[in-house]
Amino acid sequence: MKLLCLCAWTAAVLQAAATPPNALLVLEKEQNTLVIVDPASMTIVARVPVGDDPHEVAVSDDGKTAYISNYRNGSTISVVDLVAQKPMPPVDLGALRSPHGMEFINGKLYFTAEGAKVVARYDPATQKIDLVVGTGQDRTHMVIAAKDGKTMFTSNVSSATVSIIEQTAGGPGGPGRGGPRPGGPPPGGGPGRGPGGQPGGQPGGRGGPGGRGPGNGGPDWKVSNVAVGGGAEGFDLSPDGKELWVANASDGTISVVDVPGKKVVATIPSTKQANRLKITQDGKYAFVSDMGAPELLIVDVAARKEFKRVKLEGNPEGVLLSPDGKFAYTTLSNHDSVAVIDLKTMKVTGEVKTGRGPDGLAWAARK
């Protein structure tokens, strides 16, 4: 089958096309740009400059604003107006250095900051960080937040754990143990260095990880760290919320965590360097990218075993499933492109050529 392959246009031409109501967003990590793609025509419609070393991107509920983590020793989140196709003033994170994982839920942006070993929350309405919770783990990397905002999940690469962070009833007086004091600095006290030369800090507070939003009498947060495989990075929550599937890059395995029981219930052979993992909306399949080989692994969730491997033109990194359940997208960082997989046939049906080092992906549905 002949693949669609569309090369990058000049900036002048790109800016002439409007952002479609449904857009695929791609980060060009080595060029510090956000690419806006029309998934219907498989064409690039715009490029917008962002901060240094962009890794992950999340989109506001109305689909009009993108937030991008500026990872390597950075302390900002880039903001892009997707309609106007222009950068906005960035979010200054202060001591919350090396932001990485991002998710936008119910009007707020959840993100990790490896340099402070925390997951935090930014409110665009007030332009303030209104929650910081320490994990006490090394390289707190990716994040998922429940829609009710009462549970968060993170992967901690160098500690080989995932954190399950649950809201509990607030205690009397002052902040919860292990969290920041209202009006005070976030945990970690600034940047440091973790294992393997990666950013890392010291968890703040007494009695281990934890945190609280600003103000006395707010909710406390319980942090449960569950041991998984080495190099835990990409992960996803099953549609019923009962299982967390974790891609372990160092071990080449997938850990299946029982969320209520907070324990690993299965370990599945994966790929040479499992990086990102996404579960389909029907819960039938898990897509796992392999930074060490040109293939995308598809796992049968119920059977807990390999279903198929999709051959690609380069090694995949970021993975995204379209909201309509029809397509999977994966960035091929060493091939400077995004591959499109039809979920009915499980075959590659298209490719969009990008700039250097494509990585993070997101979907913007404008309302």
Side-chain angles (χ1 to χ4, degrees), residues 165-192:
I165 305 170
E166 301 167 289
Q167 182 177 309
T168 63
R177 291 185 177 181
R181 293 175 297 175

Side-chain angles (χ1 to χ4, degrees), residues 42-311:
M42 297 286 290
T43 57
I44 297 175
V45 300
R47 273 191 172 88
V48 183
V50 295
D52 291 341
D53 199 30
H55 272 237
E56 299 296 326
V57 53
V59 181
S60 59
D61 296 327
D62 61 9
K64 297 178 181 179
T65 308
Y67 298 87
I68 298 99
S69 56
N70 303 131
Y71 175 55
R72 190 67 60 189
N73 292 321
S75 59
T76 61
I77 292 174
S78 294
V79 184
V80 171
D81 183 329
L82 296 174
V83 179
Q85 300 175 358
K86 65 179 183 180
M88 304 296 285
V91 179
D92 185 352
L93 302 178
L96 301 183
R97 298 190 63 82
S98 298
H100 189 272
M102 312 190 79
E103 184 170 32
F104 202 98
I105 296 288
N106 293 335
K108 295 190 178 185
L109 178 69
Y110 294 79
F111 64 94
T112 60
E114 288 189 6
K117 302 185 182 184
V118 302
V119 58
R121 186 176 67 196
Y122 172 73
D123 185 349
T126 62
Q127 298 184 355
K128 293 182 179 180
I129 294 172
D130 64 5
L131 176 68
V132 179
V133 182
T135 64
Q137 303 294 287
D138 294 321
R139 291 194 64 198
T140 298
H141 199 61
M142 303 296 289
V143 64
I144 292 175
K147 291 183 179 180
D148 62 6
K150 294 183 179 180
T151 308
M152 299 175 289
F153 305 88
T154 71
S155 58
N156 309 295
V157 182
S158 298
S159 290
T161 62
V162 291
S163 298
I164 302 175
I165 305 170
E166 301 167 289
Q167 182 177 309
T168 63
R177 291 185 177 181
R181 293 175 297 175
R193 303 302 297 179
Q198 297 297 331
Q202 294 298 319
R206 298 179 292 126
R212 172 179 294 211
N216 293 342
D220 283 332
W221 296 84
K222 177 184 178 182
V223 180
S224 301
N225 295 317
V226 181
V228 290
E233 287 200 36
F235 67 102
D236 203 2
L237 193 64
S238 61
D240 61 10
K242 294 181 179 180
E243 292 184 345
L244 200 66
W245 283 53
V246 187
N248 305 311
S250 300
D251 287 0
T253 61
I254 298 168
S255 297
V256 181
V257 177
D258 173 66
V259 173
K262 298 180 177 62
K263 62 181 180 181
V264 173
V265 293
T267 300
I268 304 169
S270 181
T271 61
K272 294 180 180 178
Q273 195 174 345
N275 182 248
R276 295 289 180 264
L277 184 150
K278 293 294 181 182
I279 300 174
T280 55
Q281 293 178 14
D282 57 13
K284 290 184 178 180
Y285 301 105
F287 284 71
V288 186
S289 63
D290 185 354
M291 291 182 63
E295 59 186 17
L296 190 68
L297 172 65
I298 304 174
V299 178
D300 184 315
V301 170
R304 300 198 196 287
K305 66 179 182 180
E306 179 178 326
F307 173 74
K308 184 178 182 179
R309 292 186 186 233
V310 179
K311 297 299 181 180

Side-chain angles (χ1 to χ4, degrees), residues 26-47:
V26 186
L27 291 177
E28 294 173 334
K29 188 164 54 179
E30 295 180 21
Q31 295 184 187
N32 298 334
T33 52
L34 173 71
V35 177
I36 302 174
V37 176
D38 183 345
S41 62
M42 297 286 290
T43 57
I44 297 175
V45 300
R47 273 191 172 88

